[in-house]
Amino acid sequence: MIKYTEVLNVSDSVEMEVQYILAKGKTPFAEYLFFESKMHGVCVSLDGDIQSCESDEGMYHEALVHPAMLAHPNPKVVLIMGGGEGATAREVLRHKSVQKVVMVDIDEEFVSLCKTHIKSWGKSAYSDPRLEVLYMDINEYLRTCNEKFDIVIGDLIDVDDWDSPAAFLYGEDLYKTIKPLLNTNAIIATQGGALDTQESRNHKHIREMMARVFGDVRSYGVIVPSFYHLWGYVIASDDLSIVDKDLSEKFFSRAKDLTLDSLGVESLVAAFTLPKQIKKNIGI
């Protein structure tokens, strides 16, 4: 029997039984593993870290995408950083107001693998003429970009070593580069790592970097069962008053034409009410 083991934190790890390996290897940028789990369906791992699982990828991607999209009054142009599974673009393109989505992912080979082994996750997105996919470094793209965006979404790998080259994906310099490319009322959202009662240091770091560039930064979280955590996200703008007392009314009104089968609007609203102990741990 093959087992997949992943370290969760300083003391805990989780072991998953592998039913079948779909693909295993290495691109120029990461080691990959696509495998089937009896509990979670097809799972995608990069460098030993689960990225998404079939059973609950909808929960992860709905939480990543829709709070920012629903908080904005009329999102038309969207930038996705990463997002190789295609599911982030899928969720963005559910919004009828969207006219153009630019997805920038450095790893063309990984995207091709996703199109083969988890085809259904991004099929509707990759066939949508509103989506433009570019295979390049995000810094290179931003330096030469002539677009202006209403929404920017970071569907990026986790970073555990903040001295590593990958740390720039959540760094102050990246957010400073993005800011001039934003339209009025623009919103940026990113996955923000695990939220727990002891560490959450990745989430705190991301919040801090975003707060150095944007005037209003909020944390929220949802349970993603295959991650074995309350999973954190960070949303930022220079004015996020829209996610205050009238959050529920605005989300329900703007989501009336959406079908959110994994979380639903109620859970998106509730995600902004974090447990008191978690809020204390991340310094809010």
Side-chain angles (χ1 to χ4, degrees):
M1 182 184 299
I2 303 173
K3 297 289 184 71
Y4 173 90
T5 303
E6 181 170 336
V7 176
L8 297 181
N9 52 48
V10 294
S11 65
D12 303 330
S13 61
V14 62
E15 187 176 80
M16 300 169 69
E17 182 179 326
V18 176
Q19 298 293 109
Y20 182 74
I21 294 177
L22 299 171
K24 183 179 184 294
K26 187 174 183 179
T27 76
F29 302 99
E31 292 186 3
Y32 63 83
L33 175 65
F34 292 74
F35 67 92
E36 289 188 4
S37 156
K38 185 181 294 185
M39 182 71 180
H40 299 295
V42 179
C43 301
V44 183
S45 171
L46 287 178
D47 290 334
D49 188 18
I50 291 289
Q51 304 298 302
S52 295
C53 290
E54 183 179 10
S55 61
D56 53 24
E57 62 86 8
M59 294 182 179
Y60 169 84
H61 290 105
E62 285 185 15
L64 174 64
V65 169
H66 295 296
M69 297 295 292
L70 294 172
H72 193 285
N74 190 30
K76 294 181 179 180
V77 186
V78 180
L79 170 64
I80 298 172
M81 301 185 294
E85 297 108 311
T88 296
R90 177 196 72 207
E91 295 302 320
V92 168
L93 289 163
R94 293 187 192 277
H95 292 259
K96 294 180 179 179
S97 65
V98 171
Q99 298 174 355
K100 183 176 182 178
V101 180
V102 180
M103 176 182 138
V104 182
D105 195 301
I106 197 171
D107 198 338
E108 184 173 5
E109 184 178 345
F110 175 68
V111 174
S112 178
L113 287 161
C114 290
K115 288 180 178 179
T116 299
H117 297 293
I118 51 172
K119 183 177 181 179
S120 63
W121 299 14
K123 182 179 179 180
S124 62
Y126 288 126
S127 62
D128 194 310
R130 294 174 292 170
L131 177 65
E132 177 183 7
V133 182
L134 301 173
Y135 300 107
M136 61 193 302
D137 183 277
I138 188 61
N139 278 325
E140 180 185 350
Y141 172 75
L142 293 172
R143 283 195 299 267
T144 59
C145 179
N146 295 315
E147 295 278 1
K148 289 279 189 175
F149 299 100
D150 300 306
I151 304 289
V152 176
I153 297 174
D155 186 11
L156 302 161
I157 59 171
D158 274 344
V159 175
D160 291 319
D161 179 3
W162 292 106
D163 293 321
S164 71
F168 82 88
L169 295 171
Y170 301 94
E172 180 180 359
D173 288 344
L174 178 71
Y175 299 130
K176 284 182 175 177
T177 304
I178 290 172
K179 191 164 186 178
L181 303 176
L182 301 179
N183 287 322
T184 303
N185 299 322
I187 298 170
I188 180 168
T190 185
Q191 77 86 20
L195 293 171
D196 59 42
T197 58
Q198 299 296 325
E199 283 190 308
S200 301
R201 65 185 186 94
N202 288 357
H203 190 92
K204 287 187 285 187
H205 181 88
I206 294 168
R207 274 187 60 95
E208 179 184 342
M209 294 299 103
M210 297 181 86
R212 292 180 183 180
V213 179
F214 298 99
D216 199 350
V217 178
R218 312 291 177 95
S219 293
Y220 63 100
V222 302
I223 292 290
V224 181
S226 64
F227 290 1
Y228 296 91
H229 272 107
L230 174 65
W231 203 254
Y233 303 82
V234 186
I235 186 172
S237 177
D238 281 332
D239 181 12
L240 278 174
S241 58
I242 194 169
V243 296
D244 283 326
K245 60 183 180 181
D246 54 355
L247 174 66
S248 179
E249 180 182 343
K250 284 189 169 69
F251 274 25
F252 273 96
S253 174
R254 292 174 180 173
K256 62 184 178 182
D257 295 325
L258 295 175
T259 301
L260 305 182
D261 291 327
S262 295
L263 284 178
V265 183
E266 297 93 340
S267 290
L268 290 180
V269 173
F272 285 85
T273 307
L274 293 172
K276 187 176 181 180
Q277 191 171 351
I278 297 291
K279 291 171 67 175
K280 181 180 179 181
N281 192 39
I282 61 176
I284 60 175

